[in-house]
Amino acid sequence: MNYAVLDVETTGTNASEDDLIQIGLVLMDEEFNVVQTLSSFVRPSRGIPAFITQLTGIDDEMVRDAPEPDELLLELIPLLDDAVLVGHNVGFDAGFLNMALDRAGYSPFAGRRLDTVELLRMLFPSLPSYQLGAVSEQFGIRHDQHHRADSDAMATAILFSECLKKLRSLPLLTVEHLASFIRDSDLGWLLALELEAKQLRSALDTDSHKYYRGVAMSAGDWTEEEPAREEEQANPLADASFEDYLEMVKTGFETLFPDYEEREAQTTMFREVNDAFENSRHLLIEAGTGTGKSLGYLIPSLYFGIKNERKIVISTHTINLQEQLRQRDLPLLRDVLPFKFRASVFKGRGNYMCLRKFETRLQTLELAAGSEERQTASQMLVWLGETETGDQEELNFGNRGAEFWNTVSSDADSCLNRACPWFKRCFYHRAKQESNLADIVITNHSLLFTDIRADHRLLPSYEYLVIDEGHQLEEVAGKHLGQQLGFYGFLNLANRLAKDSRNGLLPQLRMQIQGEDADETAKWTEQLDEVIPRFGSLKDTWEKLFELLQALASPSAGAGAAEAGQTILRLKPGALPKAWEAIEFEESLFFKEMNQVVKVLDKMSSDMKDKLDDLSLQGMITDLAGAVKDAGRIRDELKVFVRADKPEMVYWIESYQSARTKSVQLHTVPADVSAQIKEHFFDSKKSVVITSATLTVGKTFQYAAEQLGLGIGDERRARTVQLPSPFQYRSQALVMIPRDFPKVKGAAADPAYMAKLVGSLSASAIETGGRMLVLFTSYRMLKEVYEPLKEALAGAGIQVLGQGVDSSNRSKLTRLFRQQPASVLLGTSSFWEGVDIPGDALVCLAIVRLPFQPPNHPLQEAKAELLQEAGQNPFMKLSVPQAVIRFKQGFGRLIRTSRDKGIVLLYDTRVIDTFYGKHFLYSLPGPKIETMHAEQFTSRMREWLQGEPKEAEQP
């Protein structure tokens, strides 16, 4: 038996209409040795579309003298005899192969097929991407010609052999599980084959894995975790002054990096953070890109925390930064510092797998589960043999994997704590124990506020806090001190409890209790028979209620248009629309029926818990109790929203008209959270350090301080510091503004503006050879620019990537942009910050419009009303500062290292035409700023990038 690894390039994606243009085949024997290769262009019956040429590099000239498909098949067919067909998304390649065979009068390929995407997803569950180019890069496979059949086939062949090596290295117990889950498929055949071979040659390997309740795991008991230093050990910093410690740090860096140089701004940050802790003072500190901000607070935090035996909590906004601290900065400090320390990462409970729930799901997979559930369970089983944390961030889910995760994630309401058989291996309690033992706890803004709502039962007690990405804190506070309820909030819960009479927690529980001899079994069965059908009527009421809400939030009913087909309707307390009566009526029906169901199930789960001893039943009963609490929370949150009677809250409905009720979201958010932030942090903690690259507007911290409720008048209690950038922005960055560009009012732009914008962007992109990021504030405008820009750049061989067009995944788009230097990437909201593209990959940043928040957004509107009531100007006090901070974030995408050099094209002439424009330019870190006519851009860009000096007119 051989493995025939196939890849094809085609004129399109429809096998019945499009043609082959290249075939690559690698034939491997059972030991994965390459025994033969076949590679050839194929002559198509039509011309090759421009976008295919751009993607593959294959043009009409290259296939002019290529063999016809019939000729090539004569050579190919013998190689497929008694072979298993392997491909990366094998269905695509097999589809085109069979269509070519059919057209030539041959029988289709009917042998087994194996898909390397499916194998990789199962066997390497933590890979960030399963796209062929990205995976090849991850495995160190040389793959220079992406989207060429010969190169792609060879890369796929190597990946296939890597998959089989990994499969053969798994514990026997894991392979047995995989083979039992996946049976009726070609992948099931391969698993059965490998299992049979493995059973003949291996037993349990107790050295490589821990085995418990039928699962092979990497992580052991968390109760065995120990602190970094023994209690009887002397404090390593007891006699060290902060200056002694800094010398210690410097020596460590110089040993590790012989060319290490101190950064003045970073050293200033060390001292400022330590002084804030020492003097129980709050600190707002702006530290731009290149300062080394993460080490700037980690190094003094470790000193103060260890010396004074105080726990320091560090909070980030993004998972990316949390993982950067875990994977890059903390390991570096372990190498640098001459003493041991412990740092833990602690996330919200739902990020961790509950092993008890997963065990229950494994048991029920045999009874009822779709192929996607089985694939996700297989992925998780492999992952359990590798993970030390049980953190879902390590998993790359496919399709509906996130739904499966929701059924096995940890939550407080269904936790058995010490009664759980998995307690000593529980990932959540491991993370909690690690945070108790740690000198530094790294968490996120969301968990800070979840901890507040849980009466501080989640995070270990702390008095010293560092908040990185502090410009996001106010927005996160609003979300977590308010509530959000969506259409699927109840629907998913209802399906989990009783999807129908056979599927769901309640039908499973009904079936399980039949074997129990408790006196109440008949009563419980009767109650379940009465409750299960009620979820059907509850879902009907819920759907009717959301249809009414969706109709109310439609443009015809007066709702305001937002981005990409979204509509928003604000509800004002005391002035609710007439249609609200019907919504109140449906909500009262839902509340009444849900109330009765919750009461019955709550009492039943409590009785069962007391009277049933079976451990698997106890787990189901605990899950039921947790689900009942979720149901009560949804019932109450809906009531709060429909009442809409608190003047300090902002209520609104969001909806996408194309998605009907499925997209409806109900928001209840405080208009002003500054008082709560002040109460929970600045008034109750000894020292809070808030840092970000963008905290100032016009070189002052006034806006940030007001949003966060921090008084900055008294330096003894709060201090502000703006650190100078280590970059030479005057020589590294040029900002160019077209004096002759038309103005845009509102979200839409006229055809003349769009034509001029596309013309300028395409000319600039050709000048820089791509390597351009274009930031939009409107997805609508991005879509309008995408096609004409793509057309304008096709002849220059520059690809255009659009957020929400080519992919909605920011990481994937950024990776594609890096892989193909001749690219222009169009991005909106999420690309304004957190995107890191250093070096020559990004040379030009275009900002189409200043990033003002839509003034008609309910929260923005409510904040503006509060300012007006206080006699202040909402535009200057709110809109401009918000936009300046966002603008600074966008500008920060360009210069990421001291060696970068680049250009910013700023197409919004309001920065030079309006009285407020100076606030944007003045807030930048000192780049060269020039104004000129748009047609002068390319020649000036050429001069700048070649390093030619030129004094130009300043705005």
Side-chain angles (χ1 to χ4, degrees), residues 9 83 174 188 220 372 405 428 451 566 573 581 686 756 758 774:
E9 304 302 334
T174 302
E372 287 183 6
W405 177 266
Y428 172 73
D451 183 51
Q566 186 188 41
E581 287 180 12
K686 285 187 175 175
K756 190 151 188 171
V758 169
V774 187

Side-chain angles (χ1 to χ4, degrees), residues 361-394:
R361 284 309 309 269
L362 292 188
Q363 292 164 355
T364 58
L365 277 176
E366 298 293 324
L367 302 172
S371 61
E372 287 183 6
E373 288 176 303
R374 293 171 188 269
Q375 285 168 6
T376 306
S378 302
Q379 192 180 24
M380 288 179 176
L381 267 170
V382 174
W383 173 65
L384 282 174
E386 300 167 355
T387 183
E388 295 292 331
T389 67
D391 180 353
Q392 68 154 328
E393 187 62 26
E394 297 173 0

